[in-house]
Amino acid sequence: MIDIAKKPKTDFAISMNMTPSGLSKILTGSRLPVTKEKKLFIKLAADYFSEHTYSHACYLKFKDLFPVIYDFKSLEDLRSFLTYAIEYALDKDLATANQVNLEYVERGFYFLGRRPVLNLLCVMLSDHLVNDSAEPLEVYSTIPTYDPVYSEVLLKSLIVNPERCTHVVFNHFFDGSLHESTSKGKGVSLNFISVTQRGFNLNLWTTTSDLGQPFLLLKGKLLLMFDSQIDGTPLLIPIAHKNYLNLFYNSLMNKDIRKISYSRSEAIAFCEENRPTVTALFNQGIDTVFNFTSIGYLLREEEINSLPGSEKIGNWAWLLFQHIMNKGTEFYVSLAAMERFAATGKAVVPFIGAYSFPAEQRAPYMQRFNQYLMDEDSFNRIKLVDSNLSNMAILCAGSFCLIYAVDNEYALEALDGAKNRAVSFLLAISKTQFFIDGNKRTARLACLHELARGGQKLLSPNLFSLFNT
């Protein structure tokens, strides 16, 4: 905190009414504030650091120390957050000094209200992300992303530093299909999938079992139980008892649960092992696609085949794109996805990589759409939408809903087999997911619902002409 504030320890000591040597003993842990000193120490320290660090978007200064955080709208927001953070750190140090094993404490505490819940959630999650970063961390969640108690208070507020989350596998559970669970207020929103996939390795699970109150479980570390009072006030109960954490985890995994997400390698293996199913899917056609990232539907077969990793499913990708563009598929694409392609030139081929176009070739690539806008039927089935969703594409095909989500990380591959001849930058997606849901209406209903919730707009396909100049 002193380094973040960019202030000398002597200045901090003076503000705390302490000598530099006395402060150093506390900072090194050789002496801790006694009970009667603790409250004043926390207040003075929170006042000092908030006053010397608060500014617009100052949460960025804390992103390494607190990889889970939120944007402080006022000085008081930051002061409150630091008060909880300093008290949390002191309590841990005092427990250690007094030989209190917090991992087996049977009596606990709770936090009631938006500010305490939000602050302690950030502090406790950040503590484990930073201090347990040397080993994989499995997280399990049933927080309903459509419930306003959680979505407004927590999920829309939290900001995660992905650089601190590379070791995290995030498992999210929901009841029934995406559409069914959403109608009950227990669903998982498309925006949640998009945002979470960019920060973590995300797995989605569905269950027919009642999983009880919403929770967030850090396997073997911490269980956070959530509830809301009759007036909507959020309640957070942390549980760290090791024996109970193991019991809770085993009970969860023994429920009737089913994993419905696939990583890149799993999706490729599924396609290879279930060729008749994949072929039948292509033959029946794709009903509707929603595109919130620049999928390379307009790529030519030789362009797809030039990508590293295309040997196994490159032909399937080409056939899928041809079915979508030529078989009457209802086609939605976001303006943001088109703008992103114009800026980056990246056309994504799911589970293979991304083909890169230099700036002078991007408009000609987009002009390939012209052949699909010639007749009225084709023109009417292609719709441009204004949406905040990103890094995602959704396909509706008969009884299947396929959701493809991708993160923001790319690996650079810049040379082909010819000596010293640079080719277009080929970006291999490092983390991708394929989500499958059995309700054929799910994607269309969920997408349209997501668009409606955000007051987002359906635009005219004439905007494609922006890329034809």
Side-chain angles (χ1 to χ4, degrees):
M1 292 295 299
I2 293 175
D3 292 338
I4 294 174
K6 297 181 179 179
K7 291 289 182 178
K9 290 182 182 179
T10 303
D11 186 70
F12 179 42
I14 294 173
S15 73
M16 300 291 290
N17 298 319
M18 300 177 68
T19 63
S21 61
L23 177 63
S24 293
K25 291 179 180 180
I26 292 179
L27 296 179
T28 58
S30 59
R31 187 184 84 81
L32 294 173
V34 297
T35 304
K36 64 180 182 181
E37 295 177 315
K38 177 183 166 185
K39 187 173 182 180
L40 179 60
F41 180 90
I42 293 171
K43 181 183 182 303
L44 293 176
D47 287 345
Y48 178 84
F49 289 121
S50 59
E51 289 172 2
H52 287 91
T53 57
Y54 180 74
S55 62
H56 174 68
C58 61
Y59 69 91
L60 293 171
K61 301 175 184 178
F62 300 91
K63 65 184 180 69
D64 290 327
L65 185 60
F66 300 102
V68 179
I69 201 167
Y70 61 97
D71 190 3
F72 307 110
K73 302 300 183 182
S74 65
L75 177 63
E76 182 54 36
D77 277 352
L78 177 58
R79 180 183 290 113
S80 174
F81 175 81
L82 293 179
T83 297
Y84 281 100
I86 295 169
E87 182 177 21
Y88 176 85
L90 282 178
D91 285 343
K92 284 190 65 176
D93 290 342
L94 286 168
T96 301
N98 293 309
Q99 297 182 333
V100 176
N101 190 346
L102 296 177
E103 294 182 347
Y104 289 95
V105 173
E106 295 182 351
R107 300 176 63 182
F109 47 91
Y110 65 87
F111 301 96
L112 180 66
R114 180 188 183 279
R115 179 172 286 180
V117 169
L118 183 57
N119 285 333
L120 265 297
L121 181 65
C122 292
V123 171
M124 288 187 286
L125 292 181
S126 294
D127 178 28
H128 287 282
L129 286 175
V130 172
N131 294 317
D132 300 329
S133 59
E135 58 188 43
L137 179 61
E138 297 180 26
V139 178
Y140 298 85
S141 167
T142 61
I143 298 176
T145 63
Y146 272 121
D147 189 325
V149 172
Y150 304 101
S151 62
E152 298 295 333
V153 174
L154 302 178
L155 300 175
K156 287 189 177 179
S157 300
L158 296 183
I159 300 171
V160 178
N161 178 4
E163 295 177 0
R164 286 286 195 172
C165 301
T166 55
H167 63 302
V168 177
V169 178
F170 193 97
N171 298 276
H172 188 79
F173 295 80
F174 56 91
D175 299 341
S177 72
L178 289 174
H179 173 58
E180 291 167 350
S181 60
T182 296
S183 65
K184 294 184 292 186
K186 296 183 178 181
V188 53
S189 69
L190 295 174
N191 186 64
F192 172 80
I193 295 175
S194 175
V195 172
T196 307
Q197 172 62 20
R198 279 177 274 166
F200 306 99
N201 292 298
L202 175 64
N203 292 320
L204 285 182
W205 300 73
T206 184
T207 179
T208 57
S209 303
D210 183 5
L211 299 182
Q213 288 300 118
F215 64 82
L216 193 65
L217 171 67
L218 281 63
K219 183 181 176 182
K221 307 291 183 182
L222 179 68
L223 172 62
L224 302 175
M225 300 295 298
F226 295 89
D227 201 352
S228 60
Q229 305 308 295
I230 192 171
D231 62 349
T233 301
L235 172 71
L236 171 62
I237 303 174
I239 301 172
H241 195 287
K242 286 286 189 179
N243 290 341
Y244 182 73
L245 294 183
N246 293 332
L247 176 64
F248 187 92
Y249 172 78
N250 291 332
S251 298
L252 173 64
M253 301 313 290
N254 285 328
K255 294 287 187 179
D256 181 19
I257 58 176
R258 179 170 62 92
K259 187 169 179 282
I260 62 166
S261 62
Y262 296 82
S263 66
R264 171 186 289 191
S265 59
E266 291 170 337
I268 292 175
F270 176 86
C271 291
E272 292 179 330
E273 294 169 5
N274 299 272
R275 289 177 179 270
T277 301
V278 176
T279 301
L281 178 66
F282 288 161
N283 291 337
Q284 75 177 17
I286 307 298
D287 303 323
T288 308
V289 293
F290 295 87
N291 303 284
F292 304 104
T293 191
S294 52
I295 301 295
Y297 298 107
L298 304 175
L299 288 172
R300 300 188 176 99
E301 187 173 11
E302 60 271 18
E303 291 170 334
I304 295 176
N305 291 336
S306 70
L307 292 172
S310 63
E311 302 83 10
K312 292 184 177 180
I313 62 171
N315 185 54
W316 277 339
W318 160 249
L319 292 176
L320 175 63
F321 291 168
Q322 291 303 298
H323 273 277
I324 290 173
M325 299 309 297
N326 294 302
K327 300 296 183 180
T329 299
E330 191 175 15
F331 192 95
Y332 292 81
V333 60
S334 71
L335 181 61
M338 297 180 67
E339 290 175 337
R340 184 174 182 181
F341 172 79
T344 66
K346 313 303 179 189
V348 178
V349 182
F351 304 112
I352 295 179
Y355 192 93
S356 181
F357 289 89
E360 66 276 8
Q361 295 181 17
R362 294 170 194 172
Y365 171 78
M366 291 303 298
Q367 288 170 359
R368 298 179 191 178
F369 257 118
N370 290 345
Q371 62 181 300
Y372 305 105
L373 301 174
M374 300 303 292
D375 61 84
E376 186 174 352
D377 288 343
S378 297
F379 185 86
N380 290 334
R381 70 181 175 86
I382 299 179
K383 300 176 177 65
L384 197 61
V385 296
D386 186 7
S387 170
N388 292 326
L389 289 173
S390 62
N391 290 37
M392 175 181 288
I394 301 101
L395 286 73
C396 302
S399 61
F400 287 95
C401 159
L402 311 177
I403 304 176
Y404 171 79
V406 61
D407 72 351
N408 287 324
E409 298 177 11
Y410 301 95
L412 184 64
E413 300 174 358
L415 295 176
D416 66 7
K419 183 179 180 180
N420 293 333
R421 185 166 64 85
V423 298
S424 298
F425 291 138
L426 306 179
L427 302 182
I429 309 305
S430 62
K431 289 187 296 181
T432 57
Q433 293 285 339
F434 216 30
F435 303 108
I436 299 182
D437 190 293
N439 187 325
K440 68 179 181 180
R441 298 189 306 150
T442 295
R444 198 173 195 284
L445 290 172
C447 254
L448 294 177
H449 176 63
E450 199 90 12
L451 294 175
R453 288 176 78 243
Q456 297 158 95
K457 301 176 181 178
L458 182 66
L459 307 176
S460 167
N462 289 325
L463 288 178
F464 279 109
S465 62
L466 292 173
F467 296 91
N468 294 335
T469 58

